[in-house]
Amino acid sequence: MKQLISFIFIITMLLGFSIPGGAIETSSDTALLMDAETGQILYESNGYQTVAAGTFGKIVSVLTAVENGNLKERITVDASSLEQANDPTISLVNGEIITLQDLLYAEMLANANDAAYVVADHFTTEEDDDYGEFITMMAKELDYCMASTMTMDNVDGAITTEQMCSCVDLANMIRFGTKNDDFRTIFTADNYTIDATNVTEQERNLESQHKMVNGTVDYSGVKGGFVSVSDTGEYRSITYAERRLGESNPKEQRKLIAVVLHSESEESMYQDIETLLDYGFGLQKVSADEKELLSFLPDTISSRDIAFENGVSLLLPEGDLIEDLDYRVSVDECGYFRGNITFYHSDQAIAAKAAFYEVQKESVLIPWIKRIALILVAIGILLALFLGIRMMTQKHQKSRQLQEKVQGKNKPRKRVDPNISSGLDFGNEYDNDPEYREYRQKQHQEYLRRRYAETGDHRYSKEWLDQQPKISQNQKRAQQKSTRRRNSKGKNNRKRG
């Protein structure tokens, strides 16, 4: 039996490594393509450069509300929150009752400022006029999504130097957000209708501003997205796409996230999105299981008892194999032995797999000692059960014997009147006991012989008793009652005398 001296549970970190960007070109100088399943960055150009987040903050607002609220909850619009909004996008009215779900769809599809402020006001106490409480909640949500460099300063997406993000932050936010079913439904919606409320009978029809989502620009596989235009006129977008790869692997459904910033025109932005997605869907998936990964380790390490947590899967250009990649093995022996394998493509790291650790064999005697100990414990339990049952049985038998003995000593002995012709009257619980009846009959016969010998009274002889007429049970009881009455009167007269 083997025991792990160290169990390293490290999630595969693919962030920060990408296939070299020379494979494709985009008109935008800031773009990124990520595998939504593994987080592997397939392409990036200035992907870590921070820029103003702007209206992308509304995506954070929607994700935070979904994670912390109830979509069916009805919210009353407050005038103070409407005063904060510069643009009443969906024309909310003070006192209007609307669901949280309606407000989130308005934020995502219509980029509605008034909806954003009503949502923030709903999650903020009355004393907090700057919505700092909700902004703190959004910051915590970004930390969970591993959007480490994205910062929040307001709730409506106003461009400030304090609200920044990068392509990697935005891709990670969508990657983790789409794992929530409610957020995924809102983010991938192409249209939505807000029903009439208590102040308006008119429906509000919303449609996604992303043309690949609403169908204006045709591209197979695009499920959701968000588009905005900066104050300088630059087009920016986030696109989420899925496609089932039927020919190579019918069961594989590839999920990609494309981020494009700083596009000079709307047309060039959608062209860059198409270029990125075509490249991602054209990559091949290569894998190596735990046994294959052992071949990448040097002899000095593989000679040890090494175990891998799991295998590795990568998306590579057509024709490339994991065996053709360069790799480096790093080892950490700080108290225990562990390490990881980093793969390189054209001198750029594309994936790091922190997966192996050393296990130590136990002494040969230890397993046998454990088995023997378990057997002894089992025997002890069985022996204790046996002795307990035996003691209970013996105790029950002794109690029963003692009860029978006491009952035998305390058997009532009824005085027999020799004048009663029946000889014996068993008016107790032993009437049906043959042995007791025989015993009393013999005792009665002995008494009659002794009295006949002493007195000579013929009434004690067996011949005289046999000649007496038989009397009924009621007559016997009457005689016994009369005898007891006479005896009682004689006792009372003696006491008076």
Side-chain angles (χ1 to χ4, degrees):
M1 184 181 296
K2 297 181 179 179
Q3 183 181 13
L4 299 178
I5 23 184
S6 173
F7 181 79
I8 308 172
F9 188 77
I10 303 178
I11 300 176
T12 304
M13 300 299 298
L14 301 173
L15 304 178
F17 308 107
S18 64
I19 298 175
I24 57 175
E25 293 183 0
T26 59
S27 61
S28 172
D29 62 350
T30 307
L32 177 136
L33 180 66
M34 176 183 286
D35 180 2
E37 289 289 342
T38 64
Q40 179 187 352
I41 297 177
L42 308 175
Y43 171 87
E44 66 91 15
S45 175
N46 297 320
Y48 296 91
Q49 178 181 337
T50 56
V51 298
T55 55
F56 288 130
K58 288 188 174 66
I59 302 178
V60 187
S61 172
V62 173
L63 179 58
T64 304
V66 167
E67 292 284 357
N68 297 276
N70 179 7
L71 298 183
K72 300 301 181 182
E73 186 175 0
R74 300 171 67 84
I75 300 172
T76 302
V77 178
D78 187 77
S80 60
S81 59
L82 295 178
E83 292 174 359
Q84 299 283 347
N86 297 325
D87 179 20
T89 313
I90 59 172
S91 302
L92 294 174
V93 181
N94 181 33
E96 184 174 5
I97 300 175
I98 190 170
T99 65
L100 177 61
Q101 176 175 289
D102 292 339
L103 293 171
L104 298 183
Y105 272 101
E107 277 196 81
M108 187 67 72
L109 299 181
N111 199 2
N113 285 341
D114 47 357
Y117 275 101
V118 174
V119 170
D121 184 70
H122 175 66
F123 288 95
T124 306
T125 58
E126 296 181 358
E127 295 78 11
D128 189 1
D129 296 333
D130 297 330
Y131 307 107
E133 188 175 343
F134 186 65
I135 293 174
T136 301
M137 293 172 62
M138 289 194 290
K140 291 181 179 179
E141 198 65 37
L142 290 174
D143 289 338
Y144 171 77
C145 295
M146 299 177 64
S148 56
T149 61
M150 189 170 184
T151 56
M152 298 302 300
D153 178 61
N154 54 71
V155 299
D156 65 348
I159 295 178
T160 66
T161 56
E162 299 297 328
Q163 187 151 312
M164 308 293 289
C165 69
S166 67
C167 291
V168 175
D169 293 329
L170 298 174
N172 277 328
M173 179 176 60
I174 300 303
R175 179 192 173 203
F176 284 93
T178 50
K179 297 181 185 299
N180 183 301
D181 292 338
D182 291 331
F183 177 83
R184 178 187 173 88
T185 301
I186 296 174
F187 185 73
T188 57
D190 58 350
N191 63 81
Y192 184 77
T193 300
I194 300 177
D195 296 331
T197 64
N198 60 319
V199 299
T200 177
E201 297 179 357
Q202 185 176 2
E203 295 180 342
R204 297 179 175 99
N205 297 314
L206 309 176
E207 186 178 47
S208 175
Q209 300 177 17
H210 196 300
K211 292 186 177 181
M212 285 185 172
V213 177
N214 63 33
T216 304
V217 176
D218 186 24
Y219 188 87
S220 174
V222 172
K223 300 298 182 180
F226 189 90
V227 174
S228 69
V229 182
S230 68
D231 292 346
T232 59
E234 294 177 335
Y235 287 85
R236 313 187 307 171
S237 66
I238 304 174
T239 307
Y240 176 77
E242 295 179 0
R243 185 181 293 178
R244 190 173 298 278
L245 307 180
E247 296 181 359
S248 59
N249 187 354
K251 295 184 179 180
E252 181 186 355
Q253 184 170 359
R254 189 163 298 172
K255 302 176 182 180
L256 302 175
I257 301 171
V259 181
V260 177
L261 307 179
H262 299 170
S263 292
E264 296 180 355
S265 66
E266 185 179 33
E267 183 180 357
S268 62
M269 179 188 69
Y270 284 111
Q271 183 60 48
D272 287 344
I273 295 173
E274 184 175 349
T275 300
L276 291 172
L277 295 179
D278 285 343
Y279 175 71
F281 286 126
L283 296 175
Q284 64 170 345
K285 185 177 182 179
V286 293
S287 304
D289 58 20
E290 293 84 347
K291 293 183 180 180
E292 292 173 329
L293 288 174
L294 286 173
S295 62
F296 294 96
L297 297 176
D299 295 338
T300 55
I301 297 178
S302 59
S303 61
R304 301 191 183 202
D305 196 2
I306 296 294
F308 278 86
E309 189 176 330
N310 45 43
V312 62
S313 295
L314 300 173
L315 296 179
L316 298 176
E318 189 71 28
D320 290 352
L321 302 175
I322 289 184
E323 293 80 1
D324 300 330
L325 298 176
D326 296 328
Y327 62 91
R328 297 173 189 172
V329 178
S330 59
V331 176
D332 179 14
E333 295 194 63
C334 183
Y336 46 82
F337 182 86
R338 65 178 183 180
N340 65 345
I341 304 174
T342 304
F343 293 94
Y344 289 80
H345 187 284
S346 300
D347 296 329
Q348 289 193 12
I350 62 172
K353 179 67 179 178
F356 65 86
Y357 51 88
E358 184 181 21
V359 294
Q360 184 182 20
K361 293 182 178 180
E362 293 180 340
S363 173
V364 179
L365 295 176
I366 292 179
W368 286 104
I369 293 175
K370 290 182 179 179
R371 293 173 186 172
I372 294 173
L374 291 174
I375 293 174
L376 292 177
V377 169
I379 292 175
I381 294 174
L382 293 175
L383 183 61
L385 290 173
F386 172 76
L387 293 177
I389 295 173
R390 184 176 179 183
M391 290 177 62
M392 291 177 63
T393 304
Q394 292 178 348
K395 185 177 180 180
H396 178 71
Q397 290 178 350
K398 289 182 179 180
S399 176
R400 185 174 180 180
Q401 291 175 358
L402 180 61
Q403 185 178 5
E404 292 177 353
K405 187 175 181 180
V406 171
Q407 289 176 352
K409 287 184 177 180
N410 296 334
K411 285 182 179 180
R413 296 184 179 183
K414 201 168 185 178
R415 299 181 67 180
V416 180
D417 189 350
N419 296 319
I420 299 176
S421 62
S422 62
L424 288 173
D425 180 25
F426 303 98
N428 52 63
E429 61 186 76
Y430 299 99
D431 286 354
N432 297 325
D433 189 349
E435 295 180 359
Y436 185 70
R437 181 179 290 276
E438 183 180 359
Y439 163 75
R440 293 303 304 273
Q441 288 177 349
K442 290 181 180 179
Q443 190 179 41
H444 182 65
Q445 291 175 2
E446 181 64 23
Y447 170 79
L448 292 177
R449 285 194 297 270
R450 187 172 65 254
R451 292 293 296 169
Y452 182 74
E454 292 175 354
T455 62
D457 191 343
H458 65 276
R459 291 179 301 173
Y460 294 103
S461 65
K462 184 175 183 302
E463 293 78 6
W464 184 85
L465 290 173
D466 292 338
Q467 293 175 3
Q468 299 301 316
K470 303 297 181 182
I471 61 177
S472 65
Q473 189 71 17
N474 292 333
Q475 291 175 331
K476 291 180 183 180
R477 291 194 183 96
Q479 291 178 1
Q480 292 173 355
K481 186 175 181 180
S482 177
T483 302
R484 286 196 297 270
R485 189 180 294 112
R486 287 196 302 271
N487 292 339
S488 176
K489 286 182 178 180
K491 290 181 180 179
N492 293 333
N493 292 333
R494 286 193 296 271
K495 288 181 179 180
R496 292 174 183 175

